[in-house]
Amino acid sequence: MNFSKWIIAVLNISKVFQVNTKENGKTRISGIEGCFADAIFTKMNIKYEIVVPLDNKFGREITVGNWTGIVGIVQRGEADLAICIGINENRFQVVDFSFPYSSSRLTFAVLKPSEW
């Protein structure tokens, strides 16, 4: 891990972690997770660079030991960490996870009942 500048792998997800490049080439992040990450890195005085996988996917194993998405970027050492990634058993084989800082339960949505 390069402690002078961290490379962070993320997905560009609207309102969650948005990556925007300004006209001057500087990257600006927004969204709930983007602002949270920026606040932590700023408070810890950590400089960082954002990378987004070409496939814009979380990551899945395509062949033994060969991963796509942000899991693949971390696995290959192209990034120091990934943000906004779901924990599952397959990913545990190739990357370590922090303790989750949030969770959401699965829900269903149905059309509101009508008079019928």
Side-chain angles (χ1 to χ4, degrees), residues 40-70:
I40 291 171
F41 295 140
T42 300
K43 188 70 174 175
M44 295 177 68
N45 199 28
I46 296 171
K47 296 187 184 335
Y48 62 92
E49 178 183 330
I50 300 295
V51 294
V52 179
L54 295 175
D55 64 358
N56 204 41
K57 302 286 183 194
F58 291 108
R60 64 183 178 84
E61 190 173 29
I62 51 177
T63 59
V64 176
N66 188 13
W67 285 74
T68 64
I70 57 178

Side-chain angles (χ1 to χ4, degrees), residues 17 29 33-43 46 48 83:
F17 201 116
I29 58 176
E33 298 291 336
C35 291
F36 181 59
D38 184 62
I40 291 171
F41 295 140
T42 300
K43 188 70 174 175
I46 296 171
Y48 62 92
I83 295 177

Side-chain angles (χ1 to χ4, degrees), residues 12-96:
N12 200 2
I13 302 172
S14 178
K15 296 182 176 69
V16 177
F17 201 116
Q18 290 179 246
V19 181
N20 304 298
T21 305
K22 296 180 180 180
E23 292 177 9
N24 63 2
K26 278 197 93 116
T27 300
R28 186 179 76 78
I29 58 176
S30 59
I32 189 77
E33 298 291 336
C35 291
F36 181 59
D38 184 62
I40 291 171
F41 295 140
T42 300
K43 188 70 174 175
M44 295 177 68
N45 199 28
I46 296 171
K47 296 187 184 335
Y48 62 92
E49 178 183 330
I50 300 295
V51 294
V52 179
L54 295 175
D55 64 358
N56 204 41
K57 302 286 183 194
F58 291 108
R60 64 183 178 84
E61 190 173 29
I62 51 177
T63 59
V64 176
N66 188 13
W67 285 74
T68 64
I70 57 178
V71 172
I73 290 174
V74 172
Q75 179 206 24
R76 292 187 300 273
E78 298 168 11
D80 299 307
L81 63 98
I83 295 177
C84 300
I85 183 169
I87 300 171
N88 71 32
E89 188 175 339
N90 292 338
R91 293 176 185 150
F92 259 119
Q93 297 172 13
V94 293
V95 295
D96 289 325

